[in-house]
Structure formats: structure tokens, C-alpha cells
Amino acid sequence: MRKRMGKRMQTEILKVDPKNPEKEKLEKAAEVIREGGLVAFPTETVYGLGANALDKKAVTKIFRAKQRPMDNPLIVHISDMGMARRIAELNEVAEKLAKEFFPGPLTLVVPKKEVVPAEVTAGLDTVAIRMPSHPIALKLIEAAKVPIAAPSANLAGKPSPTKAEHVIEDLYGRIDLIIDGGETNIGVESTVLDTTTLEILRPGGLPIEEIRKLVDVKVFKGKVEVAKSPGMKYRHYAPDAELIVFYGKRDDVVEKIKKLSGELVRKGLRVGIAATNLQPYSELNAEVIELGNSIEEVAKNLFSCLRELDKKADVIIAEGVEEKGIGLAVMNRLMKASAGKFYRV
Ligand code: AMP
Ligand code: MG
């Protein structure tokens, strides 16, 4: 099938200090948002691709630029609770969690108000809201004076961007402006909680254990079960290379990866390994990248590592991590990116 690429446009890249964002630069980016354009910007989780959430024409451009299916709703980013109340009805749970965790890596699905266009919510009567803590994100929304709808700033299906270079790879020539504010801190997307059902729809940057200290929430299993079944169609967060994940007892995982890597190399394939530690793989004829020793480091480096290995390997083999804290989000992304090639050893 021929891909419709749309006309290429001029993309400006604006370097902004992540700690002390220059006011005039954010004012310029806010102007692009108010005029209905698309701006990629860093948040504490991953880079977002933003448009005025109240302008349905602008929002439609997000789907076109990302080649994202229209039935996947967007998260609306807000800079204060007044803005949240203009677009949503906050129930008791939402108020409680917002008070504790906003700004931060938590998205709350709440009943929406009339002003939010159907394009933002994929026709649902709920809207997902988040207040980012990254100074650039927060100050950009403040300057724009409108809520900003923003999914991750990558082409649909690809690993999310954690550096401006990743956004440039995927979206240069397709959007108006890219704010380069350096590497994002958390590295995986926000935790999404449906406050109307108390279900976690997506594990993410805020550990479920933290939420459970305040509210009793369930983990929505639907998508996970589908993803675990063989022949799964839905691949997300994925490199072009085939991705195979092994998890379980570390020694067994290492053995398994060494064995498979040898077999693949003998077949003439280029192998990449995403490892928590380089050491056991030093003898292998493979490209090895270290994700990091702590689970927070692994989360921060995950997507960047997948993008890096994708340039050098036909098959990527990754070590899984423990499903604790942010590890649950890491495993969720690895599982979806591997399209079912996700094995306990
Ligand atoms: P991303 O596009 O990567 O930022 O991810 C946005 C996530 O939020 C997706 O998993 C969406 O399905 C989810 N989401 C956004 N709005 C809603 C909503 N109203 N109800 C349920 N899930 C939502
Ligand atoms: Mg995304």
C-alpha cells in the first residue's frame, strides 16, 4: 500500500534551557499553539506532540503527523486545576489523586465537558488529563493559556522519544516546531488511571504502589492478555528490528540470550542486546547496550536503547526486569514492542 506522506513543511528547532526556560522562546512556541500549529516539547516522561486541545482542526493535525489511528484518544495537558475544571468534571478520586500527584507522571481519565472536541477523546465521554512537572511543559501550557493535547512525539507504533533527536528522526518536516530541552528524566509514559472504574489502563512513570496508598485500584488486564496471546496483531513502542524478550532468573536469562545470540549470528543476522549489565556478554559478536543497574535507569534508557539498536541490528534481544515500581511499565512496553515474543525462562 502506498503511504500518503502529506506535504513536507518547515520545521523549526528551538533549544530551550530545561531548568530555566527562556520566556521569549516559550512565548514564541505558545504562539504556534494558539495559531493552530504543532509543537513537540519535552515533559518529565517522554517528548509530547502538542496542539491546542480546544481546536479540533489543530488536534486533527496531530493524528496526521503521527499517522495515528483516530480511535486512539489523546491526553490533555494542563498547567493548573482551574484549567482542568474548565474541560472536565473532577470526581472525588480525581481531586484526591490530583492533590497528591499533580504535577507529575499520572494521567486521570475523568468525565469530559462539552468544550472538548470529540477528536481529542475518540468520541468517548471521558477525557484524559495530566499536569506535567517539566518546567518547559508546564510553562508552555501557561504561556499558551489553553490546554494542550499531546500524545508522544513519535510516529505511531515506534518507541517514544526521550531526546529531541528522536523527534527529529520521526517528525522533522511534518510539524511546525521542536523544542529541544535535552533528555527526559523518567523515560516511559505516564500512568493512566480511569477514575470512573478505578482501573489502571496503562502502567507508567508513577508506580501503582504509590497510588494504592491512597486509592484501591485494579490493573486493567484486557490489553495485557491480548498482548500475551500468540499472533498478536497490535505492536507498539516497537523498533523495526524483531524484538525478543527473556525474563525470570537472571542467570538463566543470560544463558538463554547468549545461546540465541550465537544461533542468530551463525545465520548471518546482526544481533543487538539490551542488557541491564554489559559484563556477561563481552565475548559475543553482538552490539550490546547497557540499560542501567537500577530500574529507574532502565526506564530512562529503554526507548533510546531500542532506537539505537534498531540502527545496527536485525534482531534485538532484551533482558526483562522485575515487575515492581516502574518495572511494571518497562515490562509492559517490552511486551507490546515484542509482539508476543516475550518469554519467561
Ligand atoms: P500516548 O498517545 O502515548 O500519550 O498515550 C495516551 C494513552 O492514554 C493511550 O493509552 C490512550 O488510550 C489513553 N487515553 C487517553 N484518553 C483516554 C480516555 N478518555 N479513556 C481511556 N484511555 C484514554
Ligand atoms: Mg505514544
Side-chain angles (χ1 to χ4, degrees):
M1 201 177 70
R2 201 161 63 91
K3 264 202 187 131
R4 284 215 344 237
M5 281 306 285
K7 222 167 52 206
R8 282 187 77 78
M9 60 199 280
Q10 190 88 28
T11 302
E12 190 180 342
I13 300 170
L14 196 60
K15 244 189 172 352
V16 175
D17 180 350
K19 294 211 173 74
N20 258 314
E22 298 86 344
K23 223 172 157 203
E24 64 290 353
K25 291 186 182 172
L26 291 187
E27 196 38 61
K28 181 175 175 172
E31 186 70 32
V32 176
I33 294 281
R34 277 195 301 268
E35 283 171 358
L38 299 185
V39 177
F41 60 96
T43 79
E44 71 277 27
T45 58
V46 301
Y47 272 75
L49 177 61
N52 178 356
L54 305 180
D55 175 348
K56 74 175 179 202
K57 235 176 102 192
V59 166
T60 306
K61 290 185 192 168
I62 294 179
F63 290 90
R64 218 180 302 135
K66 282 189 55 125
Q67 301 177 330
R68 177 183 173 105
M70 291 292 293
D71 63 0
N72 197 358
L74 306 176
I75 294 171
V76 178
H77 295 70
I78 49 155
S79 53
D80 60 74
M81 291 311 285
M83 207 181 248
R85 292 191 183 94
R86 282 205 293 284
I87 60 171
E89 300 287 351
L90 301 194
N91 50 32
E92 208 178 305
V93 171
E95 291 283 359
K96 190 168 167 181
L97 293 174
K99 196 158 171 240
E100 182 73 17
F101 298 115
F102 279 10
L106 173 67
T107 295
L108 298 172
V109 172
V110 286
K112 84 175 193 82
K113 286 190 175 162
E114 191 72 30
V115 284
V116 183
E119 285 75 7
V120 171
T121 64
L124 297 170
D125 51 17
T126 52
V127 61
I129 58 169
R130 175 166 111 80
M131 190 189 294
S133 66
H134 194 296
I136 293 181
L138 207 51
K139 291 188 173 161
L140 172 65
I141 306 163
E142 263 168 35
K145 298 186 181 71
V146 291
I148 296 182
S152 50
N154 52 280
L155 285 174
K158 296 279 145 219
S160 297
T162 56
K163 296 176 183 173
E165 296 88 275
H166 302 155
V167 183
I168 294 168
E169 273 169 21
D170 279 18
L171 298 176
Y172 192 87
R174 306 176 68 82
I175 64 179
D176 298 286
L177 180 66
I178 298 171
I179 297 181
D180 179 351
E183 192 174 1
T184 60
N185 196 36
I186 296 176
V188 291
E189 301 83 347
S190 60
T191 303
V192 181
L193 171 70
D194 187 338
T195 66
T196 67
T197 59
L198 297 185
E199 280 173 326
I200 298 284
L201 303 180
R202 174 178 78 184
L206 181 68
I208 293 180
E209 294 89 332
E210 292 297 310
I211 300 173
R212 286 205 170 124
K213 287 179 189 163
L214 291 186
V215 182
D216 188 24
V217 294
K218 314 177 266 296
V219 178
F220 178 66
K221 285 281 188 211
K223 286 184 195 162
V224 177
E225 276 156 16
V226 171
K228 273 187 177 163
S229 65
M232 171 190 119
K233 270 193 268 168
Y234 183 59
R235 198 170 179 227
H236 201 158
Y237 315 110
D240 291 325
E242 186 179 354
L243 174 67
I244 303 169
V245 181
F246 292 112
Y247 64 102
K249 219 175 111 229
R250 165 111 168 125
D251 291 351
D252 298 340
V253 167
V254 168
E255 272 322 299
K256 198 87 191 170
I257 292 180
K258 280 177 155 174
K259 186 160 170 270
L260 178 61
S261 166
E263 285 166 17
L264 294 169
V265 169
R266 280 193 291 282
K267 280 190 196 157
L269 292 164
R270 295 172 306 157
V271 175
I273 300 176
T276 52
N277 188 296
L278 294 181
Q279 197 274 325
Y281 307 107
S282 55
E283 305 284 294
L284 294 183
N285 186 9
E287 194 69 47
V288 192
I289 295 188
E290 186 165 286
L291 287 167
N293 288 312
S294 72
I295 193 65
E296 285 75 23
E297 276 179 79
V298 172
K300 183 170 177 162
N301 295 323
L302 178 69
F303 287 134
S304 159
C305 174
L306 291 179
R307 279 181 181 260
E308 205 53 45
L309 289 176
D310 208 14
K311 294 186 187 126
K312 298 169 180 161
D314 306 304
V315 182
I316 300 170
I317 317 175
E319 284 180 15
V321 296
E322 224 189 318
E323 285 190 317
K324 255 204 206 140
I326 204 168
L328 185 64
V330 169
M331 288 296 270
N332 168 271
R333 306 306 184 270
L334 281 174
M335 188 189 64
K336 293 205 165 190
S338 68
K341 293 193 186 107
F342 187 77
Y343 308 107
R344 173 182 278 285
V345 295

